Amino acid sequence: MKSETPIINILTYKLPFELTNQIYNEFQSRLKEANFLIEKYKTYSSLKENTKTVELFLSLSIFHRRVITNLDGAVKFYGTVTKNGQTDTVRIGNYNLTGEEKNKILAVVMNYNALLEKFSIPQAVMEYYETREFLKKIITLKSELENADFKERRTKRKGNQTDEEDLPF
Amino acid sequence: MNQAKRTSEYFEMTCFNYIVRFYELNGYSLEVKNLQSDKYRYKCSPAGIQSNFSHFEATTKVGKRNLSFEIQHNLAVQSSQDELLFTSPDISVIKKGKVKYTKEYYDTKTTFSYVENKDLMTFCEVKQFNPFPELLFNFIGVLNELKVEYMTDNGLPLPSAHIAPSLMISGKPNKQTTTIRKSLENRYCINIIYDLFYNATFTFSKGNINDLRKTGKKPSH
């Protein structure tokens, strides 16, 4: 049987141990809680058939909060420094955040946002404090996507009917 | 280079950036100072001599006078309760040119950089956590040590606007920590800012900057 690499392992691949540890611990603890809530409470039971998707969104949201938002902050700080000073480099320890480095970080943030947009994932899904709040957001998103899908199919069906009615025979 | 190694520094930078923005939106002119070999050298920890690192200078006009302040990171500040005690808030706003140096603080005669308590205007603590009660109450301990005069709902008025001592937290609050924030902000001249990644753009925007508590008298709403 072909084994799948868990999404959390893919997202934390090559991250330093300390950060990976934080992400992984939060993920495991929230996943356990999410599975418990889905299994035991009616409010969340509609997600029983989507546990893989829940796992994916959960890992993505933790990655978003602990990695992407910090990178975005670095880009903004670089902008403030270069706007107010005669310099194009921010030195952090032994590392030089130059314009070129800033652009690389910016590209990561932009690519990440483009991916969210491509797969119609609203940023609001990433914003939660408690795991139950996250699950409620996933339920809402699921319902919105299903409604949109239903409407699209209905429009298509209607379109086909009209075409048939338009036929002269 | 692996950017992930620096995420906690990037978080501090994000908060520092918002404080700089606060001063910009309150009419201060800003300038980067003390570049090191044409680079902005960011101080990532309390260790190190302050003059080897860069900072922002914020200047405003009050009457005919220009008042200048330094926005510093990780600078040791003298306690307001005991002059032998020091602690380093993540961000501190001090009077211009008031960083002092001594070799008497450590046993090893290493240079120690600090600012006297009378020269501290305000400070901010930055935490990349979800808020929890002990974290919030600990901040009041730091406030008591560094700015005891703001342990009232009516802080001392200053000639120019400064952000009230602030605790900036990345995580979202729950019902309990929301209640604690409300109570603490009612009692003391402070800001507790939650959910920094999502709300800060809104909180530190032109239209909302005045909702942040400033040093001085409590605004009447």
Side-chain angles (χ1 to χ4, degrees), chain B residues 85-98:
Chain B
L85 304 184
F86 297 86
T87 185
S88 303
D90 295 308
I91 301 163
S92 42
V93 180
I94 63 168
K95 289 177 190 164
K96 185 185 170 183
K98 294 293 181 181

Side-chain angles (χ1 to χ4, degrees), chain B residues 56-160:
Chain B
F56 273 77
E57 188 177 297
T59 305
T60 189
K61 208 168 179 128
V62 177
K64 285 181 179 174
R65 280 192 311 156
N66 274 334
L67 297 180
S68 292
F69 304 94
E70 293 174 3
I71 311 174
Q72 296 271 6
H73 13 98
N74 285 304
L75 171 66
V77 179
Q78 188 181 46
S79 162
S80 59
Q81 310 278 356
D82 183 336
E83 62 179 29
L84 294 177
L85 304 184
F86 297 86
T87 185
S88 303
D90 295 308
I91 301 163
S92 42
V93 180
I94 63 168
K95 289 177 190 164
K96 185 185 170 183
K98 294 293 181 181
V99 178
K100 292 194 158 35
Y101 301 92
T102 177
K103 286 187 186 292
E104 303 304 316
Y105 183 74
Y106 297 112
D107 289 339
T108 52
K109 300 289 174 200
T110 309
T111 304
F112 175 65
S113 322
Y114 70 99
V115 64
E116 286 181 10
N117 193 272
K118 64 181 171 62
D119 296 322
L120 173 74
M121 308 312 293
T122 189
F123 69 94
C124 300
E125 276 290 314
V126 167
K127 300 286 172 215
Q128 195 170 10
F129 299 132
N130 279 335
F132 55 93
E134 292 75 16
L135 179 72
L136 306 178
F137 297 129
N138 281 348
F139 177 68
I140 302 305
V142 181
L143 179 73
N144 180 47
E145 213 54 41
L146 295 184
K147 271 282 168 200
V148 69
E149 63 270 36
Y150 289 115
M151 290 198 69
T152 161
D153 61 347
N154 268 332
L156 288 176
L158 293 169
S160 55

Side-chain angles (χ1 to χ4, degrees), chain B:
Chain B
M1 281 303 274
N2 193 343
Q3 299 298 339
K5 283 179 187 164
R6 284 176 285 274
T7 46
S8 64
E9 278 107 1
Y10 288 168
F11 175 68
E12 265 197 44
M13 282 173 159
T14 308
C15 297
F16 189 83
N17 204 28
Y18 282 123
I19 298 303
V20 170
R21 186 162 168 73
F22 171 89
Y23 282 90
E24 191 178 22
L25 291 176
N26 275 283
Y28 284 78
S29 62
L30 292 155
E31 204 180 336
V32 165
K33 289 283 179 182
N34 208 28
L35 293 176
Q36 303 290 307
S37 311
D38 291 333
K39 291 171 188 158
Y40 185 98
R41 191 161 179 224
Y42 192 88
K43 193 164 182 251
C44 308
S45 76
I49 302 170
Q50 209 70 16
S51 58
N52 292 338
F53 296 90
S54 311
H55 62 265
F56 273 77
E57 188 177 297
T59 305
T60 189
K61 208 168 179 128
V62 177
K64 285 181 179 174
R65 280 192 311 156
N66 274 334
L67 297 180
S68 292
F69 304 94
E70 293 174 3
I71 311 174
Q72 296 271 6
H73 13 98
N74 285 304
L75 171 66
V77 179
Q78 188 181 46
S79 162
S80 59
Q81 310 278 356
D82 183 336
E83 62 179 29
L84 294 177
L85 304 184
F86 297 86
T87 185
S88 303
D90 295 308
I91 301 163
S92 42
V93 180
I94 63 168
K95 289 177 190 164
K96 185 185 170 183
K98 294 293 181 181
V99 178
K100 292 194 158 35
Y101 301 92
T102 177
K103 286 187 186 292
E104 303 304 316
Y105 183 74
Y106 297 112
D107 289 339
T108 52
K109 300 289 174 200
T110 309
T111 304
F112 175 65
S113 322
Y114 70 99
V115 64
E116 286 181 10
N117 193 272
K118 64 181 171 62
D119 296 322
L120 173 74
M121 308 312 293
T122 189
F123 69 94
C124 300
E125 276 290 314
V126 167
K127 300 286 172 215
Q128 195 170 10
F129 299 132
N130 279 335
F132 55 93
E134 292 75 16
L135 179 72
L136 306 178
F137 297 129
N138 281 348
F139 177 68
I140 302 305
V142 181
L143 179 73
N144 180 47
E145 213 54 41
L146 295 184
K147 271 282 168 200
V148 69
E149 63 270 36
Y150 289 115
M151 290 198 69
T152 161
D153 61 347
N154 268 332
L156 288 176
L158 293 169
S160 55
H162 289 277
I163 191 167
S166 303
L167 174 62
M168 304 167 88
I169 305 178
S170 64
K172 274 184 176 289
N174 58 11
K175 194 180 168 192
Q176 193 189 8
T177 45
T178 302
T179 312
I180 294 173
R181 170 172 67 179
K182 205 174 163 193
S183 169
L184 293 177
E185 284 186 340
N186 264 332
R187 278 184 275 157
Y188 308 122
C189 179
I190 57 165
N191 293 297
I192 295 176
I193 305 163
Y194 288 145
D195 197 12
L196 210 79
F197 290 135
Y198 304 112
N199 282 341
T201 316
F202 175 81
T203 310
F204 288 88
S205 65
K206 218 173 189 172
N208 298 297
I209 201 81
N210 287 328
D211 292 340
L212 280 170
R213 184 77 196 264
K214 291 175 189 163
T215 52
K217 296 259 174 240
K218 190 177 192 174
S220 50
H221 288 294

